[in-house]
Amino acid sequence: MRQPSLTSTHSYQALANHAAKAKEWQMRDLFAQDPQRFERLSVEAAGLFLDYSKNRLDGRTLELLKALAQERGVERLRDAMFNGDKINLTENRAVLHTALRAPRDKQITVDGQDVTADVHAVLDHMKTFTDSVRSGEWRGHTGKEITDVINIGIGGSDLGPKMVCLALRQFAHPRLTMHFVSNVDGHDMDAALSRVNPETTLFIIASKTFTTAETMMNANTARAWFLQQAPEDALAKHFVAVSTNVEAIKTFGIDPQNMFPFWDWVGGRYSVWSAIGLPVALCVGFGYFSDFLAGAHALDEHFRTAPIEQNLPIILALVGFWNRDFLECGSVSIAPYHQDLSRFAAYLQQLDMESNGKRVTRAGDPIDYATGPVIWGDVGTNGQHAYFQLLHQGTDVTPIDFIAALRPAHEFHNHHAALLANCFAQSEAFMKGKTADEVRQDLQGMDAAEIERLVPHKTFPGNRPSNTILMDYLNPATLGALIALYEHKVFVQGVLWDVNSFDQWGVELGKVLAKKIEAELNGEANPGAHDSSTNGLIARAKAAV
Ligand code: G6Q
């Protein structure tokens, strides 16, 4: 259905007028004018607390953003997604990652098929399998317990399980070491294989399509490596697969008992809740994996039922939209103040940029406004000693999402106080900045000319937006809720921008592009069909072998 262009809507134009004034605001003043600002501009649900008061907005901004959400049909499309409607229009697919974490008794059907029953059948299989590997009942072909798991997958079949296994380190099985091989670069596979013993290693081949070139090459290399040291009939004890492509798994030679299916209505970057989460269930156990799903489900229920003004993902989306489209912020930095979330920014980078990095509407019309921002970041406090300089004093304004757990999972309490102090101090500094007069105060006693020389360098403009997301403790449930929060934020922004957040034609192009050059590098004649740069690079690579 063709929507009116975003920029032509009444609420967008009202926001544009409002933004002209809002650009002049200083957050310092907004806080001074409203002692209740923090209480007013914070919300809590599913174990997550969001403080969005350190943004350049006021009550009127929120009213206008809410009107825009309503005018763009956020609630209607949200309900369509939960119902299993085929909202992924270019692939004619439902978008039902929420069904992967729905309880057993929830009725959801797609094309007449009972989705929940299928989901729980696979979850039951995952439980049996992971229980037996973790207990030591499942043994390698020489009778030894499994000690290492190598997940072979890329993109959505790698980033989620890898990030979650790291994040839930505290809950990990002491005997199992998890490895993730994604890159077609043989160094990745070499590094993993050099650390494991084939007798005690389990390989998971994770690929939705089971055709992705990198994963297939890595899977074949792993299989050949294994068979150099073990007989063919040992494969069944050491190779399992996760895919929607059951036929391809059989052809690869994996025992049908050891297949974990999922469905085309699960997008790769939304698949950690499906059998793609098998490494997570192996690492932390099925009980905690269920808690992870339950945490996401709690956030789903909140998203589905809470009014817009109390709805965490909708608010996060609206604030991000405001920063992107009206305050012209081109990127968002993710700053988890939690070492175990060291891969969270990389995970969100795919989730957000692959979903909303689009330049045409759902109807295929060109877009004349800003869509998805660049997402990047790293853990605090490390980032403070690297790129925070640009965030504080550079010429671009980059909103930041600070994420922290109030209670640590270790006993070094002085470390945790220092960590949280840094997190809160940074958001305060970004908001307040430091005026020239404050710098002069600091430098009192110094030679007056020297002070004036230094003032411009030591002044911080401030007025730089951030959100802070707090949880009590990083555990499977709060992590599940946190990921679901961002999934739904991305969804809402996609609706506002009228893009299809669930296809990824840019990735598909990449999947075919390299084939031809690979053949040329492997000796096929180069017909000179490329540009001179590409021909030159190919020639240099061929000359080097
Ligand atoms: C995710 C993308 C992409 C995909 C990988 C791996 O949403 O579609 O990152 O996950 O290209 O694809 P396969 O799982 O099919 O190997």
Side-chain angles (χ1 to χ4, degrees):
M1 191 182 60
R2 188 168 255 104
Q3 287 234 51
S5 146
L6 172 66
T7 47
S8 72
T9 59
H10 175 74
S11 38
Y12 185 94
Q13 287 174 5
L15 274 162
N17 290 333
H18 177 74
K21 285 177 272 163
K23 281 183 183 157
E24 305 302 317
W25 295 345
Q26 289 293 321
M27 274 191 267
R28 278 183 184 234
D29 300 335
L30 298 177
F31 273 95
Q33 286 154 14
D34 180 5
Q36 300 298 312
R37 187 172 169 86
F38 171 72
E39 284 74 18
R40 235 187 278 286
L41 303 184
S42 53
V43 275
E44 190 162 14
L48 303 177
F49 174 85
L50 166 66
D51 168 19
Y52 61 103
S53 61
K54 292 193 182 96
N55 279 284
R56 284 157 64 182
L57 46 77
D58 71 355
R60 177 76 185 137
T61 322
L62 291 169
E63 275 171 31
L64 293 171
L65 287 167
K66 178 179 169 182
L68 180 77
Q70 287 167 329
E71 193 172 351
R72 300 305 278 175
V74 165
E75 292 154 296
R76 182 175 47 78
L77 270 153
R78 171 196 64 191
D79 294 346
M81 175 174 74
F82 277 94
N83 282 339
D85 295 359
K86 295 192 174 170
I87 61 167
N88 176 355
L89 298 174
T90 59
E91 296 177 311
N92 194 29
R93 287 177 183 165
V95 174
L96 269 179
H97 43 281
T98 52
L100 298 167
R101 51 226 192 189
R104 210 177 274 271
D105 57 0
K106 179 104 182 161
Q107 266 267 309
I108 305 166
T109 49
V110 172
D111 294 334
Q113 181 69 22
D114 181 350
V115 162
T116 325
D118 290 349
V119 165
H120 280 271
V122 175
L123 286 173
D124 291 343
H125 185 193
M126 287 170 70
K127 177 175 180 351
T128 312
F129 175 71
T130 55
D131 281 354
S132 97
V133 172
R134 288 169 58 85
S135 69
E137 187 192 327
W138 179 289
R139 301 212 166 213
H141 72 107
T142 57
K144 295 184 178 162
E145 293 180 342
I146 298 298
T147 57
D148 293 86
V149 177
I150 301 186
N151 188 77
I152 298 177
I154 196 166
S157 302
D158 167 72
L159 287 158
K162 184 172 176 174
M163 181 275 282
V164 174
C165 286
L166 281 170
L168 300 181
R169 177 184 63 86
Q170 296 288 339
F171 302 84
H173 192 291
R175 177 176 24 90
L176 293 176
T177 304
M178 313 304 294
H179 311 259
F180 292 85
V181 173
S182 54
N183 201 336
V184 74
D185 181 348
H187 296 106
D188 202 8
M189 181 60 81
D190 184 53
L193 294 181
S194 68
R195 286 188 219 117
V196 300
N197 171 358
E199 290 175 74
T200 57
T201 300
L202 178 73
F203 292 91
I204 303 174
I205 316 297
S207 174
K208 179 173 167 179
T209 54
F210 227 76
T211 57
T212 303
E214 293 93 327
T215 301
M216 290 304 105
M217 185 173 270
N218 280 326
N220 284 316
T221 300
R223 190 175 182 277
W225 175 84
F226 181 79
L227 288 178
Q228 278 167 10
Q229 305 161 77
E232 185 100 17
D233 63 4
L235 279 173
K237 286 281 167 209
H238 294 269
F239 279 77
V240 303
V242 181
S243 183
T244 58
N245 189 346
V246 172
E247 284 313 308
I249 298 177
K250 284 188 198 153
T251 311
F252 185 83
I254 287 178
D255 184 344
Q257 297 286 325
N258 303 335
M259 284 182 202
F260 297 85
F262 64 114
W263 307 273
D264 71 358
W265 42 261
V266 184
R269 55 195 172 277
Y270 299 88
S271 65
V272 66
W273 323 98
S274 72
I276 289 291
L278 194 64
V280 177
L282 280 166
C283 178
V284 302
F286 194 80
Y288 284 132
F289 186 69
S290 302
D291 291 350
F292 174 63
L293 300 184
H297 179 67
L299 202 288
D300 292 343
E301 285 303 284
H302 165 77
F303 176 49
R304 211 171 54 75
T305 57
I308 290 181
E309 53 280 2
Q310 286 160 29
N311 197 306
L312 251 82
I314 300 185
I315 289 171
L316 200 58
L318 292 175
V319 170
F321 174 83
W322 169 249
N323 287 335
R324 177 74 179 116
D325 283 57
F326 293 104
L327 303 182
E328 288 119 29
C329 300
S331 83
V332 173
S333 187
I334 306 295
Y337 276 62
H338 199 307
Q339 187 61 32
D340 294 342
L341 289 173
S342 60
R343 294 287 300 170
F344 193 63
Y347 176 80
L348 287 193
Q349 192 167 59
Q350 182 197 28
L351 173 66
D352 202 318
M353 293 172 72
E354 215 165 75
S355 297
N356 288 340
K358 308 283 163 68
R359 49 181 283 287
V360 294
T361 65
R362 277 177 292 175
D365 297 326
I367 277 173
D368 61 354
Y369 45 84
T371 62
V374 172
I375 305 289
W376 60 283
D378 200 353
V379 289
T381 59
N382 296 4
Q384 290 174 211
H385 299 269
Y387 50 78
F388 269 42
Q389 164 61 37
L390 182 146
L391 302 183
H392 279 293
Q393 290 188 307
T395 50
D396 284 324
V397 173
T398 303
I400 303 161
D401 283 357
F402 292 99
I403 301 167
L406 294 175
R407 290 196 293 136
H410 57 72
E411 294 191 343
F412 311 120
H413 291 287
N414 54 338
H415 284 246
H416 202 61
L419 178 79
L420 290 183
N422 272 280
C423 177
F424 302 159
Q426 286 295 328
S427 79
E428 184 177 31
F430 282 114
M431 186 274 282
K432 280 190 174 158
K434 193 166 194 178
T435 64
D437 279 345
E438 286 166 344
V439 175
R440 286 189 190 100
Q441 280 271 306
D442 276 2
L443 298 181
Q444 259 181 8
M446 204 182 260
D447 170 72
E450 184 63 0
I451 290 178
E452 289 314 309
R453 192 178 71 79
L454 289 176
V455 161
H457 298 281
K458 290 185 166 244
T459 301
F460 289 66
N463 213 23
R464 301 199 164 197
S466 68
N467 297 306
T468 301
I469 297 169
L470 299 177
M471 63 198 93
D472 191 33
Y473 183 69
L474 179 66
N475 62 26
T478 52
L479 180 65
L482 183 69
I483 301 170
L485 168 65
Y486 276 98
E487 285 179 348
H488 295 323
K489 171 207 141 168
V490 165
F491 169 80
V492 171
Q493 292 188 335
V495 175
L496 297 175
W497 286 319
D498 190 22
V499 297
N500 180 4
S501 303
F502 300 104
D503 61 11
Q504 55 284 315
W505 297 104
V507 181
E508 309 307 326
L509 176 65
K511 287 185 176 184
V512 293
L513 270 181
K515 281 274 164 224
K516 194 164 159 235
I517 296 181
E518 189 180 334
E520 290 169 22
L521 288 177
N522 284 332
E524 270 181 34
N526 177 352
H530 308 281
D531 56 89
S532 65
S533 161
T534 311
N535 283 333
L537 295 170
I538 293 171
R540 285 186 79 92
K542 284 176 100 165
V545 287

